[in-house]
Amino acid sequence: MPDPTNPLIVQSDFSLYLEVFNPKFETVRNGITKFAELDKSPEYVHTYKISALSIWNAASSGIDIEDIVSFLDQWSKIDVPKNVITEMRTIYKRFGIVEILKCDNDQNRLILHIREKNLETEVLSNPKLKKFLLDKISDGYYHIDLLSRGTLKVAFFGYNIPVNDIAGYSPSEPMTINLRQTSSKGVPFALRDYQNWAVDAFYQSGSDMGGHGTIVLPCGAGKTIVAIGIMAKVQRYTLILATSVAAVHQWIREILDKTDVSPDMIGEYTGDKKEIKPITVSTYQMLIYRKNKESDFPHFGVFQARKWGLIVYDEVHLLPAPIFKITTEIQSTRRLGLTATLVREDHHEKDVFCLIGPKKYDTPWKVLEKQGWISEAKCYEIKIPMDENDLMDYLTSDQKSKFNIAAKNPLKINALKDIMLRHPNAMVLVIGQFIDQLEEVSKVLNAPLIIGKTPNAQREELYKKFRNGEIRALVVSKVANFSIDLPDASVLIQLSGTYGSRQEEAQRLGRILRPKENNVSYFYTITTKDSLEETYSHNRQRFLTEQGYGYEIESWEKEELL
Amino acid sequence: MTLLDNLNQEEIQHLYELFFGPILVKHQNFSYLDNIITLLSKPNSIKTYLDKLNTQEKRVLEYLSRFRIISETFLKEKLNIILDMPLFLIEKIISVLIAKNFIFRRGDSLVIPQIFYMIDPPDIAEEQMPAAEGEYFPKAMTDVHNMINYFICQGFSFSNQLFLYKKDFQLTEQMFDNYAVLSGNEYNFVSYFFANAFLSDGQRLNLYQLKTFFAMNILDRAMYMLEIISPNMYSIIRHYNQTGKNVKISRECLFYLWEQTLLLQEFDYAPLRVTFDEIIKFLVNMEIIEQDGDQCIIKCWTAFAPTRKSELKISTNFNLFMNASALRSDQYVPVLFADMKNYNSIVECEITENSVRRGVINGYTYESFCKFLKDNEVVLPQNVDSTISQWFEKHGSYYYTTGTVFFCNTKAKAKIIQNLIDNGYVKAYELKKDEVYIIPEEDKDDFFRFLDKSGINYFSKEPNIRKAIKRNKVLDMESVLSGE
């Protein structure tokens, strides 16, 4: 029954507001994530959305619709709108009407089962859906091609028909992976609670309902560990796709550190090495490499090189289009997507849901920060004036040049030095978009520079020195946006970025979120006041502000700068 | 009062010509009126003439015959609402009736001989009942408040009838369909109200009018809205509300009263095209009328929900949350600087650079923004605070205006002008507190006419323009004398 002391408001447009400062918040949040998607999580009110997809996800996890209805009733402040309940029941019913089943007598085919006559007629009358049906077995049963499994699901979803894929996975090669009790450095190791929940949400006790989906966790919250936990559950040959060679090495380091897998079982498939082992780690760039636009992808063979039991897509929000394409053809393999920000600037989130799998676990960044699992981040935007010499140029330039002039404002280097003085003993990352700007900064700070053309070996060496504390500051280009694990970095100074990219901002913050001794990190962005850069900066901050991060904005005058 | 005493001599002559044609030679004792009266005494005499009119002409004449004389201002719009006939057709029919001498134009009125249709008004039976119980606060008013807010932040322009254009209608429907009790054409009623009540020159938001409206109690807001969208229905409701009781009246009688009052109503601007059924449905939604079979109960509310403070929250992501059913006197203020994103039990707005710019253009200042936050005890996240103050500064740093600048030498004198502005007697905008006002060009004449009438003295002081004196060229005498 509605109770004004409850924290939940259910609205007729299927949005849910959850009050954060309510004693019942934790209980309700844990329940709500099973059937609603987290939309925004700023400081006072978290917004969730019930969508067809979230209801079908709940249905696929075996949650009963009546349990959802009574949950909403129990925790709602006001009456739950009747239309929401009616509509949820209708949507829920659609799940399971169409299923993909195993075809026992033909390994290259699957069976599509349409339970309702009307829907069968609808499918048959729609050429875009009918084309997937090879031949009719009996009423409601059709053969489909094994390779069209992914595209069929995407196409049916486009017509609001969820396909319950319970054909299971192709036989794959087994291997033994056990998690260590203590890491190789002798530190006690066990999955954290939320990591265990994420593993269980994905694995679903090994049933065909599980085994595909995306885990969304903040940077530094241990997504790699979640993946390793899943690998230990699945116990199958695993292919891991990462964003860079440095990330590949990190994956290998982590697996060796946290499991009993021996080094000879792990292979690196990159430009330097071409190893295919029971656990193989490669990069997206490697797999999508080809001589020209017309030629084949020579490294796609990796997908068929072994009978993989699990494919891990690291930073799934960056998945390139050719990988999407091949993923449609490997739907018989378990697929795990990992990301901190399921925000794709190209709006392909839906493809991630259909082809990799639905979001299986998500938790607000601030919740993990509160629990101490990620570092507390203090975000600052430092606004500095435009250099007088540049002002006239700026005013008379086109938009692109305006952005360049503002982003490369020479006074940023003065501000940067000033910030460095605030943190005399901290490990600092300086990140930027423009190479010439970064080269100058590197000279001024006398700090090494890592950019795209820096050889991998040299990068590794510099990262290693930074981790060991031999180098206090590193100047990096966007190559360090993702997957670089520099646990002790506690200050990041952002000089410039890719226009208004929310995802880049969040990923960059992620570089300094690993928990540390005093557990506080500082994220600075230097922008030019009264310029286009401010507008971009405001947009960049949107994802993090929706996660509840409050930026402190300081305006520095020229006279105040060093 | 006889049937034809509303006609002057000339009109009586024309009426005679309708029946008998023009007269060439007139007998000494000839009387147009006597001849018409003789004709009228014969049974079915008028019918022959009426049969010369087509059905639509007869319908219009029948309605007009309810009145001895009726103003022609917006008459065709009124008949268009009642008869559902196109405006051009009504206009044509009136011209035909005048040309054929069935009715007569006198100034901006029509004079109608009371001989064609004898209409007996129905007996208006009313039954008084106890006044409405509880506090007045219908859900429809929540919709209206939020729709006003939505129109403010969308900055829609409206059609000639002050309705929403199709695309804007669809946007409004998307925003309100989920949660509003108002629907369909009722969105247009709100747009008509909004445009008439709060827009100056059809476009500029009038913050003073907005403030005045939201300062009213909820019942007054509802009645004010009704007065604007259907002034004749407002007269009816107000009349019965004065009894202090609910009044039961048949739907048929109410319909007659609605038609009658609509035709008699004087409008300053085109009436809203709203049918009787539509206005009744709207009033039922507004809980001003209750339907009981073929009876209508006009409700008399003696209590209403009071305006009160309700919680407002602004998050780090520039989102603002407020209770949709809040009843506040500053209810419109958040949308002066924020865009409405979602309408449901909680209204979600987002503060963006563009929304702040809109606020600045509408005359909303950073100081007012800070005051609003203080009054509502809203703690602004630091990033939101500094970004918004910068947006206000960015968009408010330069501005221009056109018009006549009016200076007051003392604060006391300025206060008089300010009072005149606040009370709607003159239109001007304060440029510098208690000192300088600007009068828009189109309001200049009215402004000074009012000052003249009120005995407020003023003078025109032209700026000193430094102009070079025109000089003719001085001859170079040397060259003249040397003959060069």
Side-chain angles (χ1 to χ4, degrees):
Chain A
M1 284 301 287
D3 172 355
T5 66
N6 277 341
L8 186 66
I9 294 171
V10 184
Q11 304 206 110
S12 57
D13 63 349
F14 294 80
S15 59
L16 311 176
Y17 289 121
L18 181 59
E19 289 175 350
V20 178
F21 296 110
N22 187 299
K24 300 167 188 170
F25 166 74
E26 290 282 338
T27 318
V28 180
R29 180 176 57 85
N30 292 338
I32 229 171
T33 46
K34 292 173 186 160
F35 58 86
E37 286 160 12
L38 178 64
D39 186 17
K40 297 171 194 168
S41 51
E43 64 271 46
Y44 303 117
V45 182
H46 288 186
T47 315
Y48 288 81
K49 192 93 190 160
I50 298 177
S51 67
L53 199 68
S54 71
I55 292 175
W56 294 332
N57 275 336
S60 77
S61 322
I63 298 173
D64 193 90
I65 184 68
E66 294 315 317
D67 291 340
I68 299 176
V69 171
S70 59
F71 181 89
L72 293 177
D73 251 344
Q74 187 186 350
W75 298 109
S76 187
K77 229 182 218 318
I78 51 173
D79 283 326
V80 179
K82 286 199 176 71
N83 74 309
V84 172
I85 294 173
T86 316
E87 188 77 355
M88 278 201 320
R89 286 193 174 120
T90 314
I91 293 169
Y92 188 93
K93 267 188 207 161
R94 277 183 95 89
F95 185 80
I97 297 175
V98 179
E99 293 169 331
I100 295 181
L101 310 170
K102 215 171 245 171
C103 181
D104 291 331
N105 45 17
D106 189 344
Q107 295 227 328
N108 293 319
R109 289 180 168 200
L110 294 167
I111 295 168
L112 187 78
H113 179 203
I114 307 172
R115 286 173 183 272
E116 268 185 13
K117 191 74 198 156
N118 289 345
L119 191 64
E120 188 182 355
T121 316
E122 189 185 323
V123 171
L124 291 174
S125 60
N126 184 335
K128 286 184 180 163
L129 299 181
K130 194 185 169 189
K131 69 176 183 187
F132 292 104
L133 312 179
L134 298 178
D135 50 68
K136 187 171 179 173
I137 305 166
S138 59
D139 276 353
Y141 287 90
Y142 296 86
H143 276 129
I144 57 164
D145 188 357
L146 178 69
L147 294 181
S148 65
R149 189 171 171 178
T151 38
L152 178 145
K153 284 191 277 187
V154 175
F156 273 62
F157 189 86
Y159 290 94
N160 234 356
I161 307 169
V163 177
N164 188 14
D165 186 349
I166 47 173
Y169 303 103
S170 311
S172 51
E173 293 181 65
M175 71 173 293
T176 309
I177 311 175
N178 294 306
L179 297 179
R180 288 173 188 262
Q181 303 282 318
T182 45
S183 70
S184 58
K185 289 172 192 159
V187 182
F189 168 70
L191 295 192
R192 298 166 188 162
D193 283 349
Y194 67 88
Q195 289 171 332
N196 270 320
W197 294 331
V199 170
D200 292 343
F202 177 84
Y203 188 60
Q204 298 205 3
S205 313
S207 74
D208 289 340
M209 303 284 192
H212 59 282
T214 306
I215 305 289
V216 183
L217 280 176
C219 305
K223 289 188 287 295
T224 310
I225 304 297
V226 171
I228 291 172
I230 288 169
M231 285 162 69
K233 289 269 186 190
V234 174
Q235 300 275 327
R236 290 282 189 278
Y237 278 19
T238 300
L239 172 65
I240 299 165
L241 304 177
T243 52
S244 66
V245 176
V248 167
H249 294 163
Q250 254 168 230
W251 270 96
I252 295 172
R253 257 199 323 270
E254 281 295 309
I255 294 168
L256 290 174
D257 189 50
K258 304 292 186 312
T259 69
D260 61 358
V261 172
S262 59
D264 60 309
M265 298 286 277
I266 307 180
E268 173 185 333
Y269 193 93
T270 59
D272 303 332
K273 292 182 188 172
K274 301 277 180 300
E275 299 170 336
I276 304 276
K277 299 273 183 76
I279 296 174
T280 299
V281 193
S282 185
T283 64
Y284 294 124
Q285 291 84 345
M286 186 67 201
L287 295 185
I288 61 169
Y289 166 79
R290 55 178 166 170
K291 277 184 181 160
N292 53 51
K293 277 186 179 173
E294 280 69 43
S295 57
D296 290 336
F297 295 97
H299 301 290
F300 265 15
V302 172
F303 285 102
Q304 272 86 37
R306 285 281 195 278
K307 287 188 172 173
W308 303 115
L310 173 68
I311 299 180
V312 179
Y313 301 83
D314 194 9
E315 310 292 1
V316 72
H317 58 278
L318 294 175
L319 210 65
I323 301 287
F324 269 128
K325 195 168 182 317
I326 188 137
T327 303
T328 61
E329 295 170 17
I330 51 168
Q331 295 289 303
S332 306
T333 307
R334 289 174 193 84
R335 305 167 305 281
L336 166 65
L338 299 173
T339 184
T341 52
L342 204 51
V343 175
R344 287 188 66 106
E345 308 293 346
D346 61 3
H347 306 295
H348 274 293
E349 291 94 340
K350 200 189 267 179
D351 288 342
V352 174
F353 275 111
C354 289
L355 296 175
I356 309 295
K359 181 161 70 178
K360 293 284 184 178
Y361 188 80
D362 190 358
T363 194
W365 292 37
K366 281 283 172 183
V367 170
L368 293 190
E369 182 186 292
K370 208 172 144 194
Q371 293 168 354
W373 296 120
I374 55 173
S375 168
E376 182 194 342
K378 295 193 169 173
C379 306
Y380 298 88
E381 187 184 345
I382 309 292
K383 298 192 178 199
I384 54 159
M386 172 105 43
D387 193 273
E388 281 155 19
N389 299 327
D390 291 335
L391 187 60
M392 276 302 130
D393 274 352
Y394 177 84
L395 292 174
T396 53
S397 299
D398 60 26
Q399 294 292 92
K400 196 180 168 196
S401 312
K402 272 194 167 94
F403 175 66
N404 286 1
I405 293 169
K408 291 184 187 175
N409 183 349
L411 293 177
K412 284 190 176 184
I413 295 179
N414 303 51
L416 170 71
K417 286 196 275 184
D418 209 321
I419 296 168
M420 296 282 282
L421 283 181
R422 285 186 180 190
H423 305 280
N425 302 314
M427 306 292 283
V428 182
L429 282 175
V430 180
I431 198 160
Q433 171 86 352
F434 301 97
I435 304 299
D436 49 349
Q437 185 185 36
L438 294 174
E439 282 170 345
E440 199 187 336
V441 169
S442 165
K443 263 187 227 158
V444 172
L445 298 183
N446 196 20
L449 170 70
I450 297 178
I451 54 174
K453 63 180 181 189
T454 312
N456 280 323
Q458 195 185 331
R459 286 190 206 187
E460 288 289 324
E461 187 57 32
L462 288 170
Y463 286 140
K464 197 174 163 191
K465 281 186 176 171
F466 188 81
R467 274 187 216 108
N468 296 340
E470 290 169 52
I471 301 172
R472 207 202 116 207
L474 254 187
V475 182
V476 287
S477 71
K478 63 180 182 183
V479 293
N481 278 357
F482 311 102
S483 313
I484 302 301
D485 186 15
L486 302 166
D488 291 326
S490 59
V491 176
L492 189 142
I493 305 167
Q494 187 174 221
L495 289 176
S496 50
T498 316
Y499 301 103
S501 171
R502 293 165 289 166
Q503 174 242 96
E504 186 179 77
E505 182 91 348
Q507 292 290 348
R508 285 181 173 178
L509 173 68
R511 298 310 100 219
I512 50 169
L513 284 187
R514 305 254 172 221
K516 17 193 105 52
E517 230 168 66
N518 67 354
N519 227 16
V520 181
S521 301
Y522 298 88
F523 181 59
Y524 292 93
T525 306
I526 309 176
T527 53
T528 302
K529 204 176 171 187
D530 296 329
S531 78
L532 195 61
E533 203 183 19
E534 283 183 323
T535 313
Y536 287 127
S537 176
H538 179 65
N539 195 51
R540 289 174 69 86
Q541 291 166 7
R542 270 178 52 201
F543 176 81
L544 290 175
T545 53
E546 280 173 3
Q547 290 286 345
Y549 284 91
Y551 282 72
E552 271 192 43
I553 298 179
E554 294 179 15
S555 196
W556 291 1
E557 296 309 316
K558 192 176 176 184
E559 297 71 34
E560 294 174 74
L561 297 171
L562 281 177
Chain B
M1 190 161 58
T2 67
L3 293 175
L4 298 172
D5 64 358
N6 56 333
L7 274 58
N8 60 28
Q9 275 308 309
E10 193 185 349
E11 289 157 354
I12 286 178
Q13 182 186 334
H14 287 308
L15 185 64
Y16 173 89
E17 286 168 2
L18 164 68
F19 300 125
F20 304 107
I23 188 160
L24 299 175
V25 184
K26 222 171 22 169
H27 190 271
Q28 198 180 6
N29 296 328
F30 181 81
S31 157
Y32 290 110
L33 187 60
D34 291 346
N35 279 289
I36 297 170
I37 289 170
T38 312
L39 174 78
L40 291 176
S41 61
K42 294 174 188 167
N44 286 332
S45 53
I46 294 297
K47 192 175 174 296
T48 327
Y49 298 97
L50 281 177
D51 284 346
K52 289 177 185 168
L53 298 175
N54 65 31
T55 322
Q56 287 163 327
E57 288 164 348
K58 278 189 213 165
R59 275 190 81 196
V60 171
L61 182 60
E62 187 179 350
Y63 268 91
L64 293 178
S65 296
R66 290 182 179 193
F67 306 95
R68 296 159 63 82
I69 184 162
I70 188 166
S71 164
E72 217 182 337
T73 314
F74 295 118
L75 181 62
K76 60 177 186 291
E77 283 81 1
K78 295 173 186 174
L79 288 169
N80 165 254
I81 295 167
I82 294 171
L83 301 172
D84 197 21
M85 272 184 208
L87 286 173
F88 76 89
L89 185 61
I90 295 169
E91 199 170 0
K92 191 179 149 199
I93 290 172
I94 290 176
S95 303
V96 168
L97 293 176
I98 291 170
K100 289 185 175 171
N101 292 330
F102 278 86
I103 60 176
F104 309 100
R105 181 172 277 135
R106 194 191 294 164
D108 63 352
S109 297
L110 295 179
V111 179
I112 304 105
Q114 300 294 293
I115 54 175
F116 302 112
Y117 292 97
M118 303 298 166
I119 299 157
D120 293 327
D123 287 333
I124 311 287
E126 314 150 6
E127 181 192 336
Q128 290 194 349
M129 304 162 76
E133 282 175 13
E135 286 182 343
Y136 180 74
F137 190 8
K139 168 72 172 56
M141 277 309 282
T142 295
D143 296 343
V144 168
H145 294 149
N146 287 288
M147 225 173 269
I148 289 170
N149 279 358
Y150 184 63
F151 293 157
I152 292 173
C153 65
Q154 285 293 322
F156 288 150
S157 53
F158 302 99
S159 71
N160 288 340
Q161 292 187 351
L162 301 180
F163 282 5
L164 290 158
Y165 285 115
K166 195 178 169 188
K167 201 176 148 209
D168 298 338
F169 187 90
Q170 283 167 349
L171 283 175
T172 309
E173 211 169 25
Q174 273 172 22
M175 175 67 76
F176 286 89
D177 219 19
N178 250 328
Y179 189 63
V181 292
L182 298 183
S183 59
N185 212 20
E186 284 164 335
Y187 295 166
N188 284 326
F189 299 174
V190 185
S191 80
Y192 179 87
F193 168 65
F194 177 81
N196 277 309
F198 307 126
L199 294 186
S200 309
D201 321 321
Q203 248 178 345
R204 275 241 310 269
L205 194 64
N206 188 324
L207 292 188
Y208 174 74
Q209 298 292 0
L210 208 52
K211 189 177 169 186
T212 310
F213 175 73
F214 280 101
M216 294 176 189
N217 69 53
I218 178 121
L219 188 57
D220 287 348
R221 289 184 203 180
M223 293 307 277
Y224 178 59
M225 183 176 174
L226 180 61
E227 187 183 346
I228 298 240
I229 65 172
S230 181
N232 59 308
M233 196 48 125
Y234 169 76
S235 310
I236 298 169
I237 304 287
R238 203 180 66 150
H239 167 75
Y240 285 115
N241 277 179
Q242 278 165 356
T243 62
K245 302 266 183 189
N246 283 1
V247 173
K248 193 187 251 190
I249 182 171
S250 75
R251 195 182 159 89
E252 193 191 344
C253 289
L254 193 57
F255 179 64
Y256 173 80
L257 288 177
W258 174 76
E259 281 185 334
Q260 200 71 359
T261 50
L262 178 62
L263 289 168
L264 283 171
Q265 181 70 48
E266 285 177 22
F267 285 94
D268 287 337
Y269 40 81
L272 172 71
R273 202 184 178 290
V274 47
T275 64
F276 178 71
D277 287 346
E278 284 173 327
I279 195 74
I280 291 295
K281 179 176 169 278
F282 179 67
L283 290 175
V284 169
N285 275 333
M286 297 283 282
E287 295 177 21
I288 290 174
I289 279 184
E290 194 182 309
Q291 286 207 97
D292 180 10
D294 60 355
Q295 300 289 310
C296 293
I297 299 166
I298 297 171
K299 296 174 94 169
C300 176
W301 291 93
T302 51
F304 46 81
T307 49
R308 55 183 168 244
K309 293 237 164 173
S310 58
E311 208 178 12
L312 267 178
K313 277 184 178 130
I314 299 179
S315 326
T316 47
N317 61 345
F318 295 75
N319 280 11
L320 183 153
F321 298 95
M322 56 181 173
N323 195 339
S325 53
L327 195 50
R328 315 157 54 101
S329 52
D330 58 2
Q331 207 154 354
Y332 64 100
V333 174
V335 291
L336 292 179
F337 58 84
D339 287 338
M340 201 164 148
K341 290 284 164 198
N342 193 20
Y343 172 61
N344 219 291
S345 51
I346 301 287
V347 175
E348 197 181 333
C349 298
E350 189 183 6
I351 308 169
T352 66
E353 188 171 345
N354 272 340
S355 64
V356 169
R357 180 180 159 74
R358 179 170 47 72
V360 170
I361 292 169
N362 283 324
Y364 193 67
T365 61
Y366 182 63
E367 289 68 38
S368 333
F369 172 71
C370 293
K371 187 177 178 303
F372 172 74
L373 297 182
K374 201 177 157 197
D375 290 350
N376 287 287
E377 292 160 12
V378 177
V379 182
L380 213 53
Q382 200 271 344
N383 65 316
V384 179
D385 189 12
S386 45
T387 307
I388 291 179
S389 76
Q390 209 195 334
W391 283 340
F392 269 103
E393 194 208 328
K394 183 176 170 185
H395 292 287
S397 293
Y398 302 107
Y399 61 94
Y400 75 92
T401 185
T402 52
T404 304
V405 187
F406 190 80
F407 297 84
C408 310
N409 267 344
T410 64
K411 200 173 168 182
K413 297 286 178 199
K415 207 174 169 192
I416 296 170
I417 301 297
Q418 190 60 52
N419 270 337
L420 293 177
I421 297 169
D422 289 347
N423 289 308
Y425 294 118
V426 294
K427 209 185 226 179
Y429 302 96
E430 194 176 56
L431 276 186
K432 191 174 172 193
K433 194 155 175 52
D434 300 330
E435 193 176 337
V436 188
Y437 293 85
I438 182 143
I439 310 155
E441 219 38 61
E442 64 274 20
D443 299 307
K444 188 178 161 186
D445 290 347
D446 290 343
F447 184 93
F448 288 113
R449 202 174 299 130
F450 190 89
L451 294 200
D452 290 338
K453 241 169 77 180
S454 333
I456 296 175
N457 297 311
Y458 58 90
F459 67 97
S460 162
K461 188 175 177 180
E462 293 303 323
N464 290 328
I465 299 166
R466 291 187 183 182
K467 228 175 177 182
I469 296 166
K470 275 186 186 174
R471 286 175 171 160
N472 292 319
K473 196 179 169 187
V474 178
L475 283 177
D476 176 8
M477 285 308 293
E478 292 288 328
S479 57
V480 174
L481 292 170
S482 63
E484 282 175 20

